[in-house]
Amino acid sequence: MSLLAHLCRRIRMEGPLSVATFMMEALGHPRYGYYMTADRFGAAGDFVTAPEISQMFGELIGLWCADYWERLGRPDPLLLVELGPGRGTLMADALRAVSQVLPDFVAAVRIHLVETSPLLCLRQAAALAPYMKLVRCAPAWHDRLADVPEAQPLLVIANEFFDALPVRQFQRGERGWSERLIDLDPETEALRFVLGQPGGPSTLIIPPRLRQGAIAIGTVIDISPTGQSIALELGRRLVASTGAALIIDYGHAALVPTDTLQAVRRHAPVPVLSEPGETDITAHVDFAALAASAAEAGAIVHGPVAQGTFLRSLGIEHRAATLCRDATKAQAADIDAALHRLTANDAMGDLFKVMALIGPGQPVPVGF
């Protein structure tokens, strides 16, 4: 059975699926899910994340963590948590860079990786293997943030994690808001979008400012209850103990989180419903909603700021120049191209945002 056949069977038995349920199945089904069946990263895959573009990204994030560890008074032990670590490239680059300038930080950390794909867990273990002699404990893997130990100082990295969390979609109509659902076309048996009943129970998760506001007819919005729940959990933990969370993703801080659901295969956009299980399905991150959830738990929010601005404040241009000094002409060209891609407004520099969450009374982190 394919994932499409599984989804069709489920719709026939249960009725139309929410967009969130469709995303969870398409990305995380234990047998057919997109992240469960293959390594999707890199030029040979479907998309490239910042750590895969250049070592500079992971190096600077690692140094940001080490700097904040010092600002917190060098707690030992410190939980270093990454949500959705991909291939482990970011964490490996971070450990390598920091071990050269502040080995005490690497010795103090206890690495915890939140990952649901067994395949990616193996890739992460291989990427981190060269650095295990530098740390006191082997990394621990968890399916959920809730499984990470509590009551200890922590630093959390979430790079392109929230964009892959499931969203529910709602559309404004003449009679109010309706949830956007996924059903079967009765003639073709193909997946299609339909609308639920106006004012159904699920519409209660729409914020009052949108549910009662003057929103144009036909507007579709994305809401990620899962993302907001994780932001609330991060805020709660940061209030209960010292630390920070660094969230890096593409998204917006707009008041109206309009339809951004998208699918990609082989680095090109494809229809969202076309090949479930074979395409990367994401939505732009609603940073305002994440900030509100974290603040509700008592955390202090800094940002979001543009990724380009953030990386330049950490010294990425100086790091690129240093790397270029010992590089061949071709290598230097690659470094310059990576710098542009990570920081330029016409690339990732403006679309991607960076937000920090910290506990009350803690120092402001660098870059904000």
Side-chain angles (χ1 to χ4, degrees), residues 112 114 141-150 233 237:
H112 292 265
V114 177
W141 277 266
H142 310 278
D143 289 336
R144 307 173 303 157
L145 173 62
D147 296 330
V148 175
E150 297 212 37
E233 170 70 2
R237 288 185 178 232

Side-chain angles (χ1 to χ4, degrees), residues 200-347:
S202 64
T203 63
L204 294 175
I205 71 171
I206 301 174
R209 62 180 174 81
L210 297 178
R211 197 166 61 245
Q212 301 164 8
I215 307 296
I217 301 298
T219 298
V220 176
I221 61 172
D222 306 325
I223 296 179
S224 178
T226 303
Q228 294 175 27
S229 176
I230 292 174
L232 185 71
E233 170 70 2
L234 287 172
R236 184 189 66 78
R237 288 185 178 232
L238 294 171
V239 169
S241 60
T242 58
L246 190 68
I247 300 170
I248 309 166
D249 228 311
Y250 57 89
H252 55 80
L255 292 178
V256 181
T258 52
D259 178 17
T260 62
L261 193 67
Q262 60 187 11
V264 171
R265 188 173 189 190
R266 299 189 182 95
H267 305 275
V270 296
V272 170
L273 303 182
S274 63
E275 299 176 275
E278 298 298 328
T279 60
D280 182 36
I281 303 174
T282 61
H284 287 211
V285 173
D286 183 352
F287 279 95
L290 297 186
S293 295
E296 181 182 339
I300 308 301
V301 179
H302 293 280
V305 300
Q307 176 176 286
T309 301
F310 179 74
L311 292 177
R312 282 191 289 269
S313 74
L314 299 188
I316 192 171
E317 292 168 326
H318 176 75
R319 178 57 177 153
T322 300
L323 290 173
C324 284
R325 281 204 298 266
D326 298 321
T328 65
K329 186 175 181 180
Q331 290 170 335
D334 289 341
I335 294 167
D336 288 339
L339 176 64
H340 180 274
R341 188 169 178 182
L342 291 172
T343 62
N345 287 346
D346 61 354

